Amino acid sequence: MELHTSAVLRICSLLFLLPLALLVAGPVLAAEPEIEIEGGTKTLRENIRQHLSLADESCKAPLWRINSLLADAETEIAAAAQALGYYQLEYETKLLNNKNCWGLHITLTPGEPVLVKELRIEILGEGREDNIFHSLYSKPGIKVGNKLNHGRYETLKARFGTLAATHGYFDGEFKLSRITVSVAEKSAIIELVYDTGARYKISQINLTHDILDENFLQRYYNIQPGDYYDTDQLLELKTVYSASNYFSVANVAPDLEALKDNQVPINIELEARKRHAYSIGAGVEADEPRVKLGFEDRYLNRRGHSFSADFSASEIKKEAVANYKIPFRRPAYEFLNIYTGYLKEEVDTFVSTKNTYGGNYTYFQDNKWLQTYALEYTYEESQVGNELPKAIDLLIPSVSLSRTKTDGNVYPLRGWSLLGKLSGSPESLGSDRSFLQFYSRAKYVWGLPVGRVLLRTELGMTDIEDVALLPASVRYFAGGDASVRGYDYKSIGPVGTRAGNETVMGPLEASELSEQEEVIGGNNLLVASVEYDYRFEESNWVVAAFYDMGNAIDDGDFEFKRGVGLGVRWVSPIGPIRIDVAKALDPIKKDDETDGWRLHISMGPDL
């Protein structure tokens, strides 16, 4: 096909003029009716705007329809004003005929608002003395002297039914619910009289399941037939079933179609998860990339026993753990773990290979504290600094107590966590060494009007004559992304030239070892950190500044090593992913120079 020159010129002209035409036509195409409201409070103006049916009409609406809706607007304006207590509102409306669209101008003269003169709340029936309704008296959301607000009245009224249904008063109803307004006196009397009726009890529990023993599943129950109905208890039961790792779906609900004789049955429906699960992932640990493989058998038998195995590897750490879990009397809160593990660490300060065999009994107390009792046997071959390599057997009983309290957000603005652990190894039970050790860790998050503050501290103490008698894993070291940033992982501690007198693992002789001072770890640890961060509005990005200090020492005064830096975080569903750039302010050894800036990468929850 051929085009003449004149045709080409016309097409080019059209293409050139089209954007200009769109710019000119844009305001016309995008024109919307303009409704201006003048006078009164901002809340009053907005409430009137939301009540106007006229506000939903476009510029194409015919004039007869606009005039018809304008007549309705008089009723809508009065209703919107009265909802906020303005019963003597005067107003003027003026319909505008703009070139491209119609418009409306409203001028308000609100007058004096109606005030609440009296608030009467009364509960009748079985719920009269029930504490759950006391909040209606103590915090109704309306006070005598307030402007009358029908929205708040409806909110308060709805709370009666919600509280009643939540706690089993299924026959509750209002005997009286009204607002009496005296326009002349500019006052209102609110009266709410509610009869709760009888409180229903649980008649029976119907359990539907397919993979585990019914007796085992009933050990999760926090309700029994004959108990008063309470929605909160049903939600708690649903939560523990969902968290058990056995079920993909857990439904716990009342059968409201079967209410009879002030009793209600409860239906529980459980759908099994796949028995076997395999996982592969990547992450960061101790500033090093890490790969992780996992396997899980979620229900080995109908008594709820489970098995898991995990392997992870990074440049400095390789770890494998197998765990067999046995639920006890309260499966959601009480269980026994039998485990074995292999751990190899190679860092600048030490090399360690450890095999572990043990078990722990874990119990969640009613006050939310997690209590753990453990007994494990370890065989560890390690070499620290320029000491002789050594091989040590230890039998270590321990007890720990921990709790985390948070607002539940991935990026918490309020919360804390605390861990305390006491462990030891007595030679009288066959260990090569006797020692007693205490370790604690605390974290606190404090939200500010702008940003938040994160505080962190670690404290460790070991009772032993000479820390050189201990293997590397039992000594204290500092440094790394979860300790003092600006320093390598476990690179900080007391230095020395001890060669020790332990059995060597290889052909090395003491004379062959360097006499240069090396970090050998300590029997005490103290670390503290303060961090401020700021999250950009409507974003998952966070910027941070921090100051860390700490050290591991033998008995004596602490010589803190300090680090400062800046960081950026991305708030992911599993917690923040952190990238920090930190500067060490103090040398690890007296004659050394401080290192330059160091990059730290970490991930996981703040608490």
Side-chain angles (χ1 to χ4, degrees):
M1 181 176 67
E2 296 182 358
L3 293 175
H4 293 289
T5 303
S6 59
V8 173
L9 290 174
R10 285 196 299 271
I11 293 173
C12 291
S13 299
L14 287 172
L15 291 175
F16 175 78
L17 293 173
L18 181 59
L20 183 60
L22 290 175
L23 285 174
V24 174
V28 177
L29 294 175
E32 293 182 357
E34 185 175 347
I35 299 178
E36 296 181 356
I37 304 177
E38 181 182 344
T41 65
K42 180 179 180 182
T43 303
L44 176 60
R45 294 193 298 270
E46 288 300 320
N47 201 48
I48 289 174
R49 187 183 302 276
Q50 292 176 9
H51 277 73
L52 287 175
S53 302
L54 197 61
D56 297 328
E57 297 300 317
S58 68
C59 291
K60 295 181 180 179
L63 184 60
W64 65 264
R65 179 169 177 78
I66 299 299
N67 286 323
S68 175
L69 291 175
L70 185 60
D72 295 337
E74 296 183 1
T75 303
E76 293 169 345
I77 293 171
Q82 289 177 11
L84 298 178
Y86 294 98
Y87 278 75
Q88 295 180 321
L89 175 77
E90 296 180 0
Y91 60 91
E92 293 181 0
T93 61
K94 182 178 181 181
L95 187 64
L96 307 176
N97 186 14
N98 299 326
K99 183 177 182 181
N100 299 321
C101 191
W102 61 270
L104 179 65
H105 185 86
I106 303 173
T107 303
L108 305 176
T109 305
E112 292 295 323
V114 169
L115 304 181
V116 177
K117 177 182 178 181
E118 182 182 340
L119 174 62
R120 177 190 171 200
I121 295 175
E122 187 174 355
I123 304 293
L124 306 176
E126 282 190 19
R128 183 181 183 90
E129 302 299 328
D130 197 327
N131 290 335
I132 66 167
F133 293 105
H134 283 184
S135 63
L136 298 173
Y137 297 101
S138 60
K139 296 180 180 179
I142 299 173
K143 293 182 180 180
V144 173
N146 286 166
K147 286 191 295 187
L148 177 62
N149 187 309
H150 286 257
R152 292 180 182 175
Y153 166 77
E154 293 297 335
T155 299
L156 174 59
K157 187 177 175 181
R159 284 171 60 190
F160 284 79
T162 300
L163 285 172
T166 298
H167 296 277
Y169 297 95
F170 296 117
D171 299 328
E173 61 179 356
F174 280 101
K175 295 300 183 181
L176 178 64
S177 58
R178 69 184 179 190
I179 302 175
T180 304
V181 176
S182 172
V183 177
E185 296 181 2
K186 302 182 183 64
S187 66
I189 298 174
I190 298 176
E191 297 173 282
L192 293 168
V193 180
Y194 190 83
D195 187 350
T196 66
R199 186 177 185 185
Y200 280 63
K201 293 183 177 181
I202 297 172
S203 60
Q204 62 188 47
I205 302 174
N206 304 313
L207 177 61
T208 304
H209 62 97
D210 57 1
I211 60 170
L212 300 172
D213 283 341
E214 187 154 328
N215 288 337
F216 171 72
L217 293 174
Q218 289 175 349
R219 281 152 52 188
Y220 282 89
Y221 285 0
N222 59 347
I223 55 174
Q224 296 296 333
D227 291 349
Y228 283 115
Y229 174 88
D230 191 311
T231 298
D232 292 340
Q233 289 182 316
L234 301 192
L235 291 175
E236 180 185 349
L237 181 57
K238 173 184 171 68
T239 299
V240 296
Y241 274 134
S242 299
S244 68
N245 208 29
Y246 301 127
F247 308 108
S248 59
V249 176
N251 290 320
V252 182
D255 187 352
L256 298 180
E257 300 297 323
L259 298 178
K260 184 179 180 181
D261 299 329
N262 297 330
Q263 292 187 323
V264 56
I266 304 299
N267 295 331
I268 301 175
E269 298 178 356
L270 305 173
E271 296 182 16
R273 298 184 71 182
K274 290 183 178 179
R275 176 175 171 176
H276 297 135
Y278 304 86
S279 62
I280 181 171
V284 179
E285 183 180 34
D287 305 327
E288 296 289 341
R290 179 187 67 166
V291 296
K292 185 176 182 179
L293 304 175
F295 166 76
E296 186 176 18
D297 190 328
R298 295 183 171 120
Y299 35 93
L300 285 164
N301 52 42
R302 294 183 64 84
R303 298 186 303 278
H305 295 198
S306 61
F307 174 80
S308 63
D310 295 285
F311 171 78
S312 61
S314 67
E315 182 76 17
I316 62 175
K317 183 186 289 188
K318 296 174 179 62
E319 184 173 17
V321 178
N323 184 77
Y324 189 97
K325 182 178 179 180
I326 304 173
F328 274 24
R329 183 176 60 87
R330 300 174 66 205
Y333 306 101
E334 185 180 11
F335 44 85
L336 175 68
N337 291 305
I338 301 171
Y339 55 88
T340 181
Y342 168 85
L343 174 63
K344 183 174 183 179
E345 285 188 277
E346 295 186 60
V347 296
D348 292 342
T349 47
F350 66 83
V351 177
S352 169
T353 301
K354 181 174 71 171
N355 294 286
T356 302
Y357 310 89
N360 65 53
Y361 166 76
T362 299
Y363 176 70
F364 281 93
Q365 300 177 348
D366 292 337
N367 59 11
K368 306 296 179 64
W369 285 88
L370 177 64
Q371 194 171 314
T372 302
Y373 301 90
L375 178 65
E376 64 180 36
Y377 162 77
T378 67
Y379 173 76
E380 182 173 356
E381 298 177 344
S382 64
Q383 181 176 7
V384 182
N386 54 15
E387 296 177 357
L388 286 171
K390 56 176 65 72
I392 296 178
D393 293 280
L394 295 174
L395 185 66
I396 307 175
S398 66
V399 58
S400 64
L401 198 63
S402 64
R403 185 182 176 188
T404 297
K405 186 175 182 179
T406 175
D407 57 20
N409 296 317
V410 177
Y411 180 80
L413 296 177
R414 180 73 65 180
W416 55 268
S417 68
L418 185 64
L419 166 68
K421 181 178 180 180
L422 183 66
S423 60
S425 181
E427 290 184 16
S428 59
L429 295 182
S431 292
D432 290 339
R433 299 287 178 269
S434 285
F435 70 92
L436 184 64
Q437 190 169 73
F438 172 76
Y439 172 80
S440 68
R441 182 189 67 234
K443 297 180 180 179
Y444 182 73
V445 175
W446 179 26
L448 302 175
V450 178
R452 62 176 189 168
V453 173
L454 297 89
L455 305 176
R456 169 174 52 87
T457 184
E458 285 184 280
L459 173 66
M461 296 180 291
T462 308
D463 182 15
I464 192 170
E465 182 179 349
D466 187 352
V467 73
L469 299 175
L470 294 176
S473 67
V474 186
R475 304 186 195 185
Y476 286 122
F477 296 85
D481 60 77
S483 181
V484 184
R485 286 163 286 190
Y487 299 86
D488 275 342
Y489 173 69
K490 292 189 176 182
S491 65
I492 307 175
V495 297
T497 57
R498 300 188 184 95
N501 56 1
E502 305 307 315
T503 303
V504 299
M505 295 181 292
L508 291 175
E509 298 293 339
S511 59
E512 298 179 76
L513 296 174
S514 169
E515 291 300 320
Q516 181 181 356
E517 286 192 337
E518 300 288 347
V519 174
I520 60 172
N523 60 358
N524 297 299
L525 173 72
L526 182 59
V527 173
S529 170
V530 58
E531 179 174 319
Y532 170 83
D533 69 20
Y534 172 77
R535 183 176 184 175
F536 293 102
E537 291 185 10
E538 299 181 0
S539 168
N540 287 330
W541 290 100
V542 180
V543 292
F546 55 85
Y547 175 82
D548 301 340
M549 59 187 293
N551 204 346
I553 67 162
D554 287 332
D555 294 327
D557 296 330
F558 274 96
E559 295 182 3
F560 289 111
K561 308 301 180 183
R562 301 164 299 156
V564 297
L566 301 172
V568 62
R569 288 92 174 85
W570 181 66
V571 182
S572 74
I574 60 172
I577 298 175
R578 309 174 189 85
I579 300 177
D580 292 323
V581 179
K583 168 70 173 174
L585 301 181
D586 304 291
I588 297 176
K589 304 171 191 176
K590 290 182 179 180
D591 297 332
D592 287 355
E593 295 183 359
T594 57
D595 293 336
W597 293 89
R598 188 175 302 279
L599 180 68
H600 296 280
I601 303 176
S602 61
M603 60 193 302
D606 291 316
L607 294 172

